[in-house]
Amino acid sequence: MAEIDTLRDQLIEELWLPMAREGGARFYNSRRKNKQMKLFTLTDGINFKEISRLEDNNLVQRGDCVLWVSNMIKAVRAETEALGVVLNGSICDELISTATCQLNPLFPCDILNLDFSSQDIYVNNSRIEKELEKVESFIVLQGQKRSKGFVLLQTTVVNSEDISRDNVKRVSDAMQSSGWGGLALDAFPPTISSNTQKMDLIKKVAELLCQKYKYNIFKISSLSKDINTQQQLYSLAVILVR
Amino acid sequence: MKIDNQTKQVELPFKVNKEVVSHLSLGLYRNFARAIKELISNSYDAGATEVKIKLDLDRGEIIVRDNGRGMSLEDIEKKFLTIGYVTQPSDKLDELGRKRIGTFGIGCLSVFPYCNTVHVITKKMDSDDLIELTIETQRFFTGTPSDIEKEKAKCTVHKSDLAKKDGETIISLKGIKQHLIKELRQKSGSGWSSIDKFSGFEKFKWTISQYSPIQFSPEQRILRSFFADAERVPMRLWLDGKELFRNVPENIEILDKGEEKFGNVHLKYVITTAKKPVEPEEARGLQVRLRDVAVGLPTDFEVSKLTGKVPGKLNYISGEVCVLDGLDSFLMIDRDSFSYTQEVSEMQDFFRKKLTKWSDVQEKWAVQDKDIYQALMPLKDSEPLIEELKKANILHFSKERLRLSKEPMVKKSRERITSTLETIKKALTDKTQFKIISRKEEPKDKQQPVEVKPKEKSIVIYDNHPEFVESIEIDDKKFSVTYDDWDYKKSHYSICKLDSSGKKVAFNSSHPLFKSKISEDVIKKIALGFLLIAKDRKDEEKLLSELNHLIETVFKG
């Protein structure tokens, strides 16, 4: 069984960094020598590897990041790294797109690293549905804060747990957007059981959410790594522009 | 005396009042940064290779995290919470090649006076348990004293998220005292002469960097390698995300370094000069270290007091004395000094002599430098030459550090007048060990008048360089100047004379007026002016004698 940390290191090098570089060039090419962007990251609170790698590549600046960790102990550890603002709690319980949310004044960000695999998410079922709901909330928050473009990195563990297509649609459609007719997921079966289909669904939802919130997709790319025969670490990277 | 047959024997217990904590912590660690240094030293002893400190003044919190061995519940009980837990100093090295710093078991007490709560999170290596511990520190300073054994610290055990092999300790000081926050937020005063002029944060940073067992920065290559121990794994320290290194004054040069033994005491030392007063002044003198940790602040070993002499350039000197062996048992409990032993006395005497010597050497350099700078003053562009002389270690100090006269060369009494060329040659001959080579050939284009050749230990001077051609102007007429010696009493041209072309004037170096302190330029111009007035007149000889006599009378008086 591969350690998630090792697989995450591979994702950083093979997907996150190349896409962040491309996003930096797209957003800041004419303005900055170093494409230093503001990062929001769901981080593991242990080694903060994604931040140090982005920093090594002059894509983000120490002190200018927003870190989310799943508990207070990790937050204390993260504080000593002096990487930026450290927040902690259960990301799935956070009402992200509300004005009172603690994240509100810290946004918009240029890179959103929504690495749900880094968080201790204690959810018995519908975990991926909840994560997709949070992804949408973050896109809404970026839109509210008038972000013209950002790099979305979305990572999750895909395992034997089924995804309910209708549940995904219902939760998303409850969030209104002018002129939006709802998530069109008819190509997927009501219960999504195969890991390949789950990954396709995650990608499709991301594409549709871009349309819903009037962002164009400049580039989209994904990568999956086998944790074992039943589980994959799946990561999707999208450069959204308006 | 009557002895009462009814006497009885009882055993009374010794009791430790909880105020002992207050006395110990307040008495030992009078400075917040030094108290934090104690936590850092604990991390070092715990085998940490990385220590990270975060200061959050808005929240009134400071966090110190290390990747050392961590603690188990038993370690916490027997070591961390046992006041006065003693670890005997040992010559044994741990797996990182380090010797223990702490021996008294009071490190955690150091921070008690400065915060309301100490929150500890620790995971011992090869364990899955993460222990959380909270100590309400203010109970030890307020209210009625009670038996310390009644005090309890609450511990919670969790499952750790770290790999089993990893260790970690995070100590958070919460509720930092307001006066400390105010102090840490204090803005800097003007200048850098003392750490008291630094901002509160910079002062904290300087103190931590001075005391902690950290390395020299990679830029301090020589110091880093001289004090490095290949067998010992160093500890790195970060404050608010920036790595800290040992304080080293700017632009220092090494004067002396070596290893010495005084009985059982074995040490390495480096003495440096900043070639100006070391700033901040707290860095002046030699920093003594035991196992990489500072013992007090830098010291001059009371050289002035004990030698009865004030070495003038002592404030230019800084450096380090790293005790490698032999004083482990002689460190005083406040860790600011050693007990007075024969070896300590010998060591101090040795460094007093060194400091006096290097102060005297620098005083001598300053005198030499001054003479060379003055000699070079008539040159139009002396800067490139000054740089070369500095590189060759002929000049040691910058012009600004020496009180130079604005006059090119202040004549000393009874010194004869000479040309710029001769003055420079004399200064360089007298003040350097370099061989002075005179070149008579015409210099090439852009040729500097003086060339320093450090490898050959020689200085080449081009005698015929235009820079050395001296001239004097009177009534828009330019005369080239030479110097000669003749008996001024036997000639009416007692001060100067013109050559047959009438364009070259020779001044009499041996004339007493040029040995006086009167500006030679003034005398030269008046004497030449009188010569030009008298020239070609029938009574030239008489008139010139009278005029020269007049100058001599006026200026001699």
Side-chain angles (χ1 to χ4, degrees):
Chain A
M1 190 175 112
E3 289 277 343
I4 284 198
D5 287 350
T6 314
L7 299 178
R8 190 180 292 121
D9 289 352
Q10 293 171 16
L11 290 180
I12 292 170
E13 301 304 324
E14 294 168 26
L15 182 68
W16 301 0
L17 273 178
M19 287 295 271
R21 268 192 218 107
E22 219 164 309
R26 173 74 177 78
F27 305 139
Y28 295 112
N29 198 23
S30 57
R31 279 193 280 154
R32 294 189 207 172
K33 191 180 167 198
N34 294 326
K35 284 104 197 151
Q36 283 166 348
M37 298 179 278
K38 187 168 182 182
L39 169 73
F40 171 80
T41 181
L42 298 181
T43 191
D44 66 352
I46 294 174
N47 57 26
F48 314 97
K49 185 82 175 278
E50 79 284 6
I51 308 176
S52 57
R53 291 296 294 133
L54 286 163
E55 192 189 9
D56 294 345
N57 283 268
N58 281 322
L59 292 164
V60 302
Q61 202 169 13
R62 181 173 284 266
D64 193 28
C65 305
V66 182
L67 290 77
W68 188 284
V69 288
S70 48
N71 63 47
M72 187 276 292
I73 289 170
K74 287 182 178 189
V76 176
R77 189 182 292 138
E79 288 283 1
T80 61
E81 296 290 334
L83 295 163
V85 179
V86 180
L87 301 168
N88 73 90
S90 165
I91 196 67
C92 287
D93 296 336
E94 196 70 21
L95 299 169
I96 290 152
S97 53
T98 58
T100 52
C101 173
Q102 53 185 333
L103 287 170
N104 195 287
L106 304 168
F107 271 64
C109 291
D110 301 302
I111 304 173
L112 260 61
N113 178 37
L114 305 183
D115 176 11
F116 295 102
S117 74
S118 71
Q119 305 292 295
D120 305 325
I121 298 175
Y122 301 107
V123 179
N124 289 331
N125 50 42
S126 312
R127 177 179 54 84
I128 291 180
E129 286 97 313
K130 284 200 169 60
E131 290 171 2
L132 291 173
E133 181 192 342
K134 291 299 142 187
V135 171
E136 183 163 356
S137 300
F138 274 108
I139 297 172
V140 171
L141 180 59
Q142 287 285 94
Q144 284 170 354
K145 294 286 180 173
R146 300 182 191 284
S147 167
K148 295 278 182 203
F150 59 97
V151 180
L152 172 69
L153 306 168
Q154 181 187 344
T155 306
T156 190
V157 174
V158 177
N159 56 16
S160 56
E161 192 190 318
D162 292 342
I163 302 178
S164 158
R165 177 197 68 186
D166 296 337
N167 212 6
V168 171
K169 181 174 165 51
R170 184 178 50 75
V171 171
S172 174
D173 290 350
M175 286 190 243
Q176 310 248 316
S177 178
S178 61
W180 179 248
L183 277 189
L185 297 173
D186 295 343
F188 293 91
T191 301
I192 302 159
S193 305
S194 90
N195 281 4
T196 312
Q197 275 190 324
K198 285 173 202 162
M199 290 187 264
D200 288 344
L201 177 89
I202 292 167
K203 192 175 179 184
K204 184 69 187 171
V205 169
E207 287 168 348
L208 291 170
L209 290 178
C210 290
Q211 285 177 34
K212 181 175 177 182
Y213 295 103
K214 299 173 181 61
Y215 280 102
N216 295 318
I217 294 174
F218 177 71
K219 188 167 182 180
I220 186 163
S221 187
S222 63
L223 205 56
S224 73
K225 299 279 173 186
D226 290 341
I227 300 169
N228 54 36
T229 49
Q230 279 90 43
Q231 296 186 87
Q232 269 108 36
L233 185 65
Y234 175 67
S235 190
L236 175 70
V238 192
I239 300 172
L240 295 83
V241 287
R242 260 185 185 164
Chain B
M1 184 188 281
K2 188 185 171 189
I3 297 171
D4 186 355
N5 290 334
Q6 303 264 313
T7 52
K8 63 174 182 181
Q9 284 191 328
V10 289
E11 282 187 337
L12 296 174
F14 279 100
K15 283 212 166 182
V16 182
N17 190 290
K18 78 171 181 182
E19 279 200 326
V20 74
V21 176
S22 157
H23 296 321
L24 273 173
S25 55
L26 283 170
L28 287 174
Y29 307 103
R30 292 173 291 269
N31 167 317
F32 181 56
R34 289 178 59 185
I36 296 299
K37 179 266 288 187
E38 288 302 317
L39 296 183
I40 298 166
S41 300
N42 287 352
S43 299
Y44 182 88
D45 283 345
T49 54
E50 292 188 354
V51 178
K52 296 185 177 177
I53 303 175
K54 174 80 173 109
L55 210 53
D56 189 336
L57 298 182
D58 291 337
R59 287 206 305 232
E61 187 176 2
I62 179 163
I63 310 169
V64 181
R65 173 166 73 105
D66 73 54
N67 65 348
R69 284 183 283 274
M71 291 180 282
S72 63
L73 268 179
E74 195 186 352
D75 294 334
I76 290 172
E77 190 188 351
K78 290 191 176 165
K79 295 178 184 171
F80 192 72
L81 295 178
T82 301
I83 294 155
Y85 172 81
V86 176
T87 311
Q88 287 302 322
S90 162
D91 281 341
K92 282 186 185 166
L93 302 175
D94 67 10
E95 68 276 15
L96 301 176
R98 299 175 185 172
K99 277 188 184 177
R100 273 191 77 78
I101 295 170
T103 49
F104 306 111
I106 43 179
C108 87
L109 285 186
S110 64
V111 293
F112 276 24
Y114 304 107
C115 59
N116 293 329
T117 310
V118 175
H119 181 232
V120 182
I121 299 164
T122 184
K123 176 198 171 284
K124 189 157 176 136
M125 273 177 181
D126 300 321
S127 159
D128 284 324
D129 292 341
L130 182 140
I131 302 161
E132 236 188 307
L133 161 76
T134 305
I135 306 168
E136 301 297 337
T137 55
Q138 289 314 296
R139 288 186 310 184
F140 297 98
F141 299 93
T142 53
T144 321
S146 64
D147 189 348
I148 192 159
E149 302 228 337
K150 288 180 186 160
E151 294 295 327
K152 304 284 178 208
K154 282 180 191 163
C155 288
T156 318
V157 182
H158 309 266
K159 188 175 174 354
S160 172
D161 56 349
L162 292 181
K164 190 165 182 165
K165 62 177 176 47
D166 293 336
E168 180 180 64
T169 300
I170 306 173
I171 298 183
S172 311
L173 313 181
K174 295 172 193 260
I176 301 277
K177 295 292 164 74
Q178 276 308 311
H179 71 273
L180 267 178
I181 292 178
K182 200 175 155 196
E183 210 177 291
L184 287 161
R185 282 206 165 118
Q186 199 168 322
K187 290 185 180 156
S188 57
S190 57
W192 285 80
S193 56
S194 160
I195 55 169
D196 289 329
K197 299 272 174 71
F198 290 9
S199 69
F201 178 79
E202 285 297 328
K203 186 177 172 181
F204 177 80
K205 193 170 115 181
W206 188 90
T207 314
I208 292 278
S209 305
Q210 189 69 23
Y211 281 107
S212 301
I214 50 176
Q215 302 300 295
F216 288 100
S217 74
E219 287 80 49
Q220 299 294 342
R221 208 169 27 85
I222 299 173
L223 292 174
R224 201 174 158 107
S225 62
F226 181 71
F227 286 112
D229 180 347
E231 307 296 314
R232 188 178 62 217
V233 181
M235 188 186 83
R236 297 173 71 186
L237 175 67
W238 284 262
L239 173 62
D240 286 356
K242 292 208 171 104
E243 186 163 5
L244 302 185
F245 298 100
R246 276 193 212 175
N247 295 322
V248 176
E250 279 181 0
N251 302 322
I252 52 147
E253 277 178 33
I254 293 173
L255 294 170
D256 196 355
K257 59 182 170 125
E259 275 189 71
E260 282 296 325
K261 279 196 169 181
F262 305 96
N264 292 327
V265 178
H266 179 203
L267 56 82
K268 267 184 166 184
Y269 68 91
V270 167
I271 300 173
T272 64
T273 176
K275 296 190 173 171
K276 60 178 187 176
V278 171
E279 287 187 346
E281 62 188 25
E282 287 80 357
R284 293 173 192 171
L286 304 181
Q287 177 66 67
V288 180
R289 290 182 187 273
L290 179 65
R291 302 185 202 113
D292 276 349
V293 181
V295 177
L297 276 175
T299 173
D300 64 3
F301 300 95
E302 300 192 86
V303 67
S304 308
K305 213 165 153 185
L306 294 169
T307 60
K309 191 179 151 190
V310 183
K313 293 278 184 280
L314 192 62
N315 59 350
Y316 284 31
I317 296 175
S318 63
E320 298 240 344
V321 176
C322 190
V323 179
L324 307 170
D325 273 313
L327 283 177
D328 300 310
S329 310
F330 300 102
L331 190 62
M332 302 292 271
I333 199 163
D334 62 1
R335 299 187 191 181
D336 268 355
S337 55
F338 295 107
S339 344
Y340 199 71
T341 64
Q342 179 66 29
E343 285 100 334
V344 171
S345 165
E346 282 173 23
M347 176 183 95
Q348 291 180 340
D349 196 43
F350 174 82
F351 285 113
R352 256 177 235 126
K353 282 179 186 153
K354 283 276 180 194
L355 289 172
T356 310
K357 176 195 155 185
W358 284 112
S359 172
D360 292 348
V361 168
Q362 290 188 96
E363 290 271 28
K364 203 174 137 199
W365 287 348
V367 173
Q368 288 177 357
D369 283 10
K370 201 170 170 178
D371 285 351
I372 295 173
Y373 277 123
Q374 297 278 186
L376 298 179
M377 220 174 251
L379 297 180
K380 277 180 212 147
D381 181 17
S382 57
E383 283 312 312
L385 175 58
I386 287 172
E387 280 315 305
E388 280 186 47
L389 292 169
K390 278 183 182 170
K391 276 184 203 160
N393 253 334
I394 292 170
L395 281 174
H396 302 88
F397 300 107
S398 69
K399 264 195 265 186
E400 295 69 36
R401 296 255 53 93
L402 307 163
R403 290 189 192 121
L404 298 180
S405 158
K406 285 178 186 167
E407 292 293 319
M409 187 74 186
V410 180
K411 266 191 297 152
K412 288 168 192 150
S413 186
R414 297 184 177 216
E415 201 173 48
R416 60 195 280 279
I417 184 175
T418 52
S419 65
T420 303
L421 174 66
E422 267 188 76
T423 310
I424 293 175
K425 273 186 186 173
K426 187 173 184 313
L428 293 174
T429 309
D430 291 353
K431 311 296 176 188
T432 74
Q433 307 293 320
F434 279 45
K435 190 180 169 192
I436 309 299
I437 301 166
S438 257
R439 288 267 164 84
K440 304 289 178 198
E441 68 259 31
E442 287 298 315
K444 289 172 196 162
D445 263 3
K446 292 181 184 173
Q447 172 70 60
Q448 290 293 317
V450 181
E451 253 180 14
V452 184
K453 302 196 166 177
K455 280 184 188 167
E456 289 94 4
K457 286 243 161 203
S458 66
I459 296 172
V460 177
I461 300 181
Y462 291 88
D463 290 3
N464 293 320
H465 195 281
E467 278 266 33
F468 296 131
V469 178
E470 206 179 322
S471 63
I472 188 166
E473 258 188 56
I474 287 186
D475 287 343
D476 296 332
K477 282 181 190 163
K478 205 172 184 179
F479 299 86
S480 60
V481 174
T482 59
Y483 297 90
D484 207 347
D485 282 314
W486 64 88
D487 187 348
Y488 74 100
K489 286 178 185 165
K490 288 184 180 170
S491 167
H492 58 281
Y493 299 110
S494 61
I495 305 176
C496 60
K497 59 187 174 188
L498 285 167
D499 75 341
S500 54
S501 70
K503 290 178 181 171
K504 199 184 266 183
V505 57
F507 287 99
N508 186 357
S509 304
S510 57
H511 195 282
L513 275 181
F514 289 125
K515 292 179 185 172
S516 72
K517 283 196 168 181
I518 299 156
S519 162
E520 59 180 62
D521 278 352
V522 173
I523 295 167
K524 277 184 199 167
K525 279 190 177 168
I526 294 173
L528 178 59
F530 283 177
L531 179 63
L532 293 171
I533 290 167
K535 191 182 163 231
D536 299 335
R537 288 175 64 140
K538 282 180 189 170
D539 56 347
E540 180 185 339
E541 194 173 319
K542 189 174 172 258
L543 181 62
L544 195 59
S545 294
E546 282 173 8
L547 289 172
N548 283 350
H549 181 67
L550 178 67
I551 306 172
E552 285 159 14
T553 312
V554 170
F555 288 113
K556 260 187 194 172

